[in-house]
Amino acid sequence: MRSEHVKGATEQAAGKVQDVFGSLTGNDSLKMEGKARQAAGELQEHYGDVLDDVSSFAKRRPLASVAIAGGIAFLLARLLMRRKG
């Protein structure tokens, strides 16, 4: 489990607590902030999932990973040269 998963789960839990506390106190601002925090935690967990997928792909197919990285570097270099030109 990556640290992004742990951070995301922690953020979701904190957001849930904040949401419930906002509901109990009638503080809509706190409630909305809690919902936003939960959403941010979910995104961070999904980011961790993507990193896991990319990592496992790179381990299974190292040459393809290098080729993809090289292609992206080439395209970025072309775009940056085009902007300067």
Side-chain angles (χ1 to χ4, degrees):
M1 181 178 275
R2 290 189 177 272
S3 64
E4 286 79 14
H5 289 112
V6 175
K7 289 177 189 175
T10 303
E11 197 67 20
Q12 282 186 55
K16 184 65 177 172
V17 169
Q18 200 171 9
D19 181 21
V20 169
F21 189 72
S23 292
L24 291 174
T25 60
N27 187 336
D28 289 337
S29 176
L30 191 61
K31 189 175 177 181
M32 293 304 293
E33 189 176 317
K35 289 190 184 300
R37 206 166 173 183
Q38 287 178 61
E42 279 186 52
L43 285 175
Q44 189 153 16
E45 277 195 85
H46 289 303
Y47 174 67
D49 292 339
V50 168
L51 286 180
D52 285 344
D53 292 344
V54 168
S55 176
S56 66
F57 177 81
K59 287 176 184 173
R60 282 180 309 181
R61 311 271 319 254
L63 293 178
S65 300
V66 170
I68 291 169
I72 290 171
F74 176 75
L75 290 174
L76 286 174
R78 293 283 307 234
L79 287 172
L80 290 174
M81 290 175 72
R82 200 177 211 186
R83 281 184 107 182
K84 286 183 181 181

